[in-house]
Amino acid sequence: MTELVGRRAEVAEVCRALADARMVTIIGPGGVGKTRVALRAVRQSANHFPDGESFVELSGLLNPRLLPDTVAARLGLARQESRQPLDTVLDHLRPRRFLLALDTCEHLVEECAMFAETVLREAPDVTILATSRQPLDAVGEHTYQLSPLPVPDAIEDPGGAFVPGPRPVTLTGAGNAAELFARRAVAADPAFTVTSDNWADAVRVCRRLDGIPLAIELAAVRLRALPLRELADRLDRRFDTLAARRTGTPRHQTLRTAIEWSYDLCTEAERTLWARLSVFAGGFDIAAAEEICSSPDLPPDQILPTLVGLVEKSVVTMDDDRYRMLDTIREFGAGRLAASGQERTCRERFTDRYLEAARVFDRHFMDHDQLARLRAMRAEHANLRAAIQYGLTSDDERMVRVGAELATALHGYWTIAGLPREGTYWLGMALDRLPDGPSAERAWALITLGYLDNYAGEPVRAVAETRDGIQMALDLGDDGLLLARAYTYQNMALMFNGQLEEAFAAEIVARPLLEALNDRIGLLFLDAQMGHLYELALDLDSALAATDRCLDRLREGSVTGEIGERWMQSYCLMVVGLAQLFLGRDDEATSNFGRSLPMSHERGDTVGCGYALEGLGWISESKQRWTRAAWLLGAADARWKEAGARLGGNPILEEIHGQRADSARRNLGEARFTELFDTGATCPLEDVIAKAVGDADDLGWSGEPGGGRPAGDPSAELTRREREIAGLVASGMSNREIAEQLVISRRTVDSHVEHIFAKLGVSSRLQLAVKLTDEET
C-alpha cells in the first residue's frame, strides 16, 4: 500500500540467490520488512519462471497440518475426492518451472521445512522463497539475513553548503531509515518537513528504533500529536527503562520496545481494545468488534471511536469496511489479553459469534444469494479456523461442544468452498475431544464426517461413519433432523461406494423423514443424489425426474423464476445433460452442459468443468464435428489430470470416452487429432469456455494469450467475465481482491488479466483504466 523505501541491494541479492539456489529463506526480526522484500523479489524474478509464481501467506494458518490445504487453495487447485492435498500440489508443480513463496513460516518451522523438502525433491524445476524469523533448516536451504535499514550519522550536513536558517533536507533516493521516517511522517502530517534544524532529532528517532521499519512507521504516526523533539526524548527514556529488563534476542526486544512504546501512548480504552482484538486471526468489521470486545468499561458505542484511535496510531489497518492487525502487533495484544484475565471471556464470545454465523450460513447456503454468502464466509476463513481451534482445545466442555457444532454447521461451506478435507480434519478432532458415549454432538459430527468423506474420496469410511451415526441417533431416540440427514448422507456414501441397491434402500427411509420435517436442504441433497444414482443404474427417465425436482426446489422463492444458487444447480445440469446425451437428445444436452460450464468455472470447480467439456466433446463427436470434439476432449483431459481421475473412474463413462475419442482420431488421423487435443489441453480455460459455449468448431488458439491475435486487435473482443474483471482492475482492485469478490481463484484472475492485456494491447493497469475510460466516452 506504500512505496518500498530502499532495499534495492537487498532485493537484487535475493534475486541472485534465487537464480543460484532452489530454496532461499529471508530471515530477520519481525517488522524488518521480510515480506516487502520477498514480494519485490518475486516480482523481479518473474521472467525466470515461465509457469508463474504464487505468494502463500501463512500468518493466518493456526494448524500446521493444514499447510498443504492452504498452498493448494492459494494455487487455485480444486478439491480432489481421492487424493491428499499434498499429492495434488505436487502433481500441479512437477511439470512446471515455478516460484513458490511461503510467507511467515516461523510458527510452522518444522512443517514448512518438511513441505519444502518434499516439493524440491518431487518437483525439480520449482524454486521456493520463504520468509521467517528463523531458518527452516531444510536440506538445500540458502538463508539471507535481512538487516534493519541503515541509519545515517546525525553529524552529517545533509543539505550541503552552509545556509543560515532551517532548510529542507532532500532524502529521496537515500534508501535509509531517515528517508522512511520522513516519508511516513509526511503521510501522517503533510505539514511536517525534515530540515537542517530537526535533522538530528529525526536521526535520533531512527537510531533509537534500530532502523526497524515497523517501529519507525509507528513512531512517525505520533507526529500528529507530539513535536519531533519530544518524540525523540520519550523514546530515549523508554529505551533506558526497557533495557534494564530486556530478555530474549536483542532484535526481538527492539521490535517489542517499539510496540510496547506505542501501547503506552494509547488511551486506556485503546489498550483494552487492542488486547481484545487480538482474538481475531483475520480481518474483522465494526459489528464483530462491538460484539466481542465491549464491556461495562468499554461499552459498544465507544468501540468505533476507540477503533479509529487505533487506526490513527497504525495499530490497526483498514481496508474498505474490514480492519486488520499486523501479526506482531496482534501477538503483543494477545500477551496483554492473557495477562488481563479477560482472555477466556473474549475467546468464548469470539467462538459463539462464529458459531452463530455458521448456523445462519447452514440455513441459507442453498439460497439465491449463495455466492454473496460464500464470499462473506471466505473473508472470515481465518477467524472460522481460529474459532474452531479455540473451542476444541478449550478445557471447558461447553466450549468443546461449541467447537464441534461449529465444525459441523460449516458442512455446506466446506463443500462449496472446495475444502472437504479441512472439514474432515476438524470433525475428526471434534470426535477426539467430545466426551465419550452417545450424544447429539457426536452423532452430528459422525454423519457430517461421513458426508464430507464422500467428497474427500473416502466412500468406504463414509459408509462406516454414516452407519455409526445412524446407530447413535437411534440409541438417542432421535427420529427428527439428525436421523433424516444421517440416512441422506448414507445414501450418498453407499452410491459413491458402488452399493446401489443399499443406496436405494437408504433413500426409502430418508425421504419421508425429510418431507415430514420440510427439510428443504436435505431434500435438495437427496434429489440430486438420486439423479446421479438413477443415472448409474441406467434409469435415465428417473434420473431426469429427480434432477427436475431438485431444480424446481432451487427455483422456489425466485420472483423471476431464475435460480441464484450455483453449486447444486451446476451439478444438476450436468446430470441432466449426461442423461439427455444417453437418450440422443443432443441439442438439449448441449444447452445444459453449456449452462453448467461457466457456473463451474466461476467457482473454480475443476471437476465440474471436466464433466461439462467432456459431455460437449461427446456430443460434437456424435454430430461428426471432429475438430471441435478433439480440442474439447483435450481441454477436458487437462481438467481430469488436475482432478486426479477422469470421470471419477466410472467404468461405464470411461468406455464411452474411449469410443468417442477413437472415433474422432480415426476421422481426423492420428497427427491432426493429437495436435487439436494438445491445443485444447494447453489453451487457457477462459478461451476454451468462450469457444465451447459459443459452439465454435475452430478453437483459434496458437499458444499465445488472446488466441494468437495481434495485441490490440479489435477482433479480440473481451468475454463477459473479462469485461467484468477489466472493470474491477480499472477501479483499482488488486487481483487478490477481485478473486475474493468474484469467489474465484487468484490464479484464474491472473490468467484473465493476462488475456485482457494481450487483447487490448496494454501493458499496465493504468493503461487499461485509460482505455476503458476512452471507450466509455
Side-chain angles (χ1 to χ4, degrees):
M1 297 297 292
T2 55
E3 183 181 356
L4 179 65
V5 174
R7 302 303 198 191
R8 290 184 180 178
E10 292 90 338
V11 170
E13 289 182 39
V14 171
C15 290
R16 283 194 291 271
L18 288 172
D20 297 331
R22 292 192 56 214
M23 181 175 182
V24 177
T25 301
I26 302 174
I27 58 174
V32 79
K34 300 183 293 295
T35 297
R36 294 292 302 271
V37 169
L39 282 166
R40 183 62 61 88
V42 167
R43 187 184 307 168
Q44 292 189 9
S45 300
N47 291 337
H48 299 291
F49 300 93
D51 294 317
E53 64 282 332
S54 186
F55 200 90
V56 185
E57 299 176 356
L58 301 177
S59 60
L61 180 60
L62 300 180
N63 196 299
R65 292 184 58 182
L66 297 177
L67 174 61
D69 303 71
T70 302
V71 176
R74 184 64 185 82
L75 292 173
L77 303 180
R79 62 172 177 80
Q80 299 182 13
E81 297 177 359
S82 60
R83 299 183 65 77
Q84 293 292 329
L86 178 59
D87 294 331
T88 302
V89 171
L90 294 175
D91 287 348
H92 176 78
L93 293 177
R94 277 191 188 97
R96 289 172 166 79
R97 189 174 178 185
F98 195 86
L99 176 58
L100 180 64
L102 303 176
D103 185 45
T104 313
C105 299
E106 57 265 15
H107 61 306
L108 305 166
V109 170
E110 294 182 6
E111 291 75 17
C112 287
M114 290 188 291
F115 175 84
E117 290 177 2
T118 302
V119 169
L120 295 176
R121 182 174 61 250
E122 295 291 330
D125 292 321
V126 170
T127 296
I128 292 178
L129 174 64
T131 71
S132 177
R133 296 186 187 182
Q134 66 184 84
L136 303 185
D137 291 328
V139 175
E141 178 186 35
H142 177 103
T143 60
Y144 179 81
Q145 178 74 50
L146 185 63
S147 300
L149 288 169
V151 180
D153 243 336
I155 60 174
E156 298 179 37
D157 179 5
F162 176 77
V163 177
R167 58 190 184 280
V169 173
T170 301
L171 291 169
T172 303
N176 58 27
E179 181 186 5
L180 175 64
F181 178 77
R183 287 179 178 272
R184 299 299 184 261
V186 170
D189 178 8
F192 177 83
T193 304
V194 176
T195 69
S196 54
D197 278 1
N198 64 17
W199 166 254
D201 287 330
V203 170
R204 187 152 58 102
V205 168
C206 296
R207 188 166 300 285
R208 290 300 181 184
L209 295 176
D210 285 345
I212 300 288
L214 174 59
I216 291 170
E217 293 189 358
L218 289 170
V221 172
R222 296 310 304 158
L223 291 175
R224 294 172 182 163
L226 291 172
L228 176 57
R229 176 154 296 178
E230 184 176 346
L231 171 63
D233 289 341
R234 291 176 67 93
L235 285 176
D236 220 351
R237 291 194 300 271
R238 174 56 58 192
F239 275 25
D240 289 342
T241 301
L242 294 178
R245 54 185 176 89
R246 179 175 293 174
T247 60
T249 63
R251 282 197 180 95
H252 179 75
Q253 288 306 309
T254 298
L255 179 60
R256 182 169 182 81
T257 297
I259 298 173
E260 192 165 40
W261 161 80
S262 184
Y263 179 83
D264 288 344
L265 292 178
C266 289
T267 66
E268 191 61 37
E270 289 169 346
R271 295 177 190 175
T272 299
L273 184 58
W274 180 346
R276 294 175 183 176
L277 288 174
S278 68
V279 299
F280 290 98
F284 57 91
D285 58 21
I286 293 171
E290 289 174 342
E291 180 177 343
I292 293 166
C293 302
S294 61
S295 64
D297 61 332
L298 187 61
D301 62 355
Q302 290 301 306
I303 294 293
L304 177 56
T306 307
L307 184 58
V308 169
L310 290 175
V311 172
E312 285 291 311
K313 294 178 173 67
S314 294
V315 173
V316 173
T317 60
M318 185 175 67
D319 183 8
D320 294 330
D321 60 346
R322 302 278 290 178
Y323 297 86
R324 187 178 298 273
M325 299 180 81
L326 296 173
D327 295 337
T328 49
I329 291 176
R330 185 173 68 242
E331 290 171 9
F332 178 89
R336 294 288 172 166
L337 182 62
S340 72
Q342 295 295 312
E343 182 176 18
R344 179 182 290 272
T345 299
C346 286
R347 292 199 172 192
E348 287 181 358
R349 287 184 182 180
F350 177 83
T351 305
D352 287 341
R353 174 183 173 82
Y354 285 100
L355 172 59
E356 182 56 30
R359 286 170 173 167
V360 172
F361 186 81
D362 186 28
R363 292 194 295 269
H364 297 285
F365 75 94
M366 289 295 214
D367 289 359
H368 296 289
D369 58 351
Q370 182 186 75
L371 289 182
R373 291 182 182 275
L374 180 59
R375 279 196 295 270
M377 292 299 277
R378 279 187 168 174
E380 298 285 5
H381 187 78
N383 290 324
L384 292 168
R385 278 179 169 174
I388 299 172
Q389 181 91 358
Y390 292 160
L392 295 181
T393 57
S394 173
D395 57 4
D396 183 340
E397 184 177 317
R398 185 191 80 84
M399 290 306 298
V400 173
R401 293 182 185 277
V402 169
E405 184 184 349
L406 176 52
T408 300
L410 288 170
H411 69 101
Y413 173 69
W414 303 131
T415 308
I416 297 176
L419 301 168
R421 289 192 180 277
E422 179 165 349
T424 62
Y425 171 79
W426 292 121
L427 288 162
M429 180 185 289
L431 289 169
D432 288 340
R433 294 284 294 137
L434 285 167
D436 293 333
S439 67
E441 292 87 356
R442 286 195 71 84
W444 273 109
L446 269 172
I447 67 168
T448 307
L449 180 59
Y451 164 78
L452 291 174
D453 265 332
N454 285 303
Y455 292 101
E458 301 288 350
V460 175
R461 283 212 310 238
V463 169
E465 289 154 354
T466 53
R467 281 180 175 162
D468 289 346
I470 288 171
Q471 186 59 56
M472 189 173 295
L474 294 172
D475 292 343
L476 292 168
D478 185 281
D479 60 356
L481 186 62
L482 172 58
L483 190 64
R485 289 288 183 92
Y487 276 108
T488 302
Y489 298 161
Q490 187 182 61
N491 165 264
M492 178 167 58
L494 292 166
M495 174 184 65
F496 282 0
N497 203 40
Q499 299 170 251
L500 304 191
E501 290 186 9
E502 293 179 69
F504 279 113
E507 186 260 352
I508 292 173
V509 179
R511 187 170 296 279
L513 291 171
L514 295 171
E515 290 175 345
L517 295 164
N518 194 27
D519 180 13
R520 176 176 177 268
I521 290 178
L523 288 167
L524 283 168
F525 280 179
L526 191 59
D527 286 338
Q529 290 164 200
M530 291 306 296
H532 189 44
L533 179 58
Y534 280 123
E535 199 162 62
L536 292 176
L538 300 181
D539 185 350
L540 302 179
D541 289 334
S542 295
L544 291 173
T547 50
D548 282 345
R549 285 196 305 272
C550 187
L551 291 169
D552 287 342
R553 290 188 203 278
L554 289 172
R555 200 172 286 110
E556 291 172 358
S558 172
V559 176
T560 63
E562 296 294 321
I563 301 174
E565 193 279 342
R566 289 291 184 267
W567 172 65
M568 183 70 77
Q569 182 185 181
S570 68
Y571 276 92
C572 281
L573 291 174
M574 280 187 285
V575 172
V576 171
L578 196 57
Q580 290 168 336
L581 187 154
F582 290 157
L583 291 168
R585 295 154 55 180
D586 287 352
D587 291 342
E588 295 172 83
T590 298
S591 174
N592 283 308
F593 283 131
R595 291 170 60 197
S596 173
L597 182 55
M599 287 184 195
S600 298
H601 181 50
E602 72 181 348
R603 292 181 294 100
D605 186 348
T606 299
V607 173
C609 289
Y611 273 107
L613 291 167
E614 187 82 27
L616 290 170
W618 293 358
I619 294 169
S620 299
E621 184 277 333
S622 70
K623 292 186 173 183
Q624 300 184 8
R625 298 172 65 180
W626 317 117
T627 296
R628 175 176 165 85
W631 60 258
L632 280 168
L633 291 175
D637 188 68
R639 314 287 82 80
W640 298 132
K641 286 179 178 177
E642 285 189 48
R646 181 169 51 228
L647 298 162
N650 184 285
I652 298 173
L653 301 181
E654 278 281 7
E655 183 178 354
I656 297 171
H657 166 84
Q659 293 170 351
R660 304 291 173 123
D662 287 345
S663 173
R665 185 180 288 104
R666 285 194 305 271
N667 283 277
L668 288 168
E670 182 67 37
R672 179 59 174 160
F673 174 84
T674 300
E675 178 188 358
L676 292 167
F677 186 93
D678 291 345
T679 299
T682 55
C683 179
L685 183 55
E686 179 73 20
D687 290 356
V688 168
I689 291 173
K691 294 290 187 176
V693 174
D695 201 37
D697 277 316
D698 185 12
L699 182 55
W701 190 75
S702 62
E704 297 293 334
R709 294 179 289 264
D713 187 337
S715 67
E717 295 183 1
L718 300 183
T719 65
R720 178 191 61 80
R721 176 63 101 185
E722 286 173 343
R723 284 202 166 275
E724 180 181 22
I725 290 176
L728 295 175
V729 170
S731 73
M733 293 179 67
S734 68
N735 287 9
R736 175 185 60 79
E737 292 168 333
I738 294 170
E740 291 176 354
Q741 175 162 324
L742 300 181
V743 197
I744 57 179
S745 70
R746 167 67 183 274
R747 185 179 61 172
T748 298
V749 176
D750 293 344
S751 177
H752 282 312
V753 173
E754 179 184 346
H755 301 160
I756 291 165
F757 280 16
K759 288 181 178 182
L760 298 184
V762 299
S763 58
S764 73
R765 302 170 94 85
L766 178 60
Q767 290 177 0
L768 173 60
V770 171
K771 189 172 186 67
L772 292 181
T773 302
D774 290 344
E775 287 182 357
E776 291 174 358
T777 57

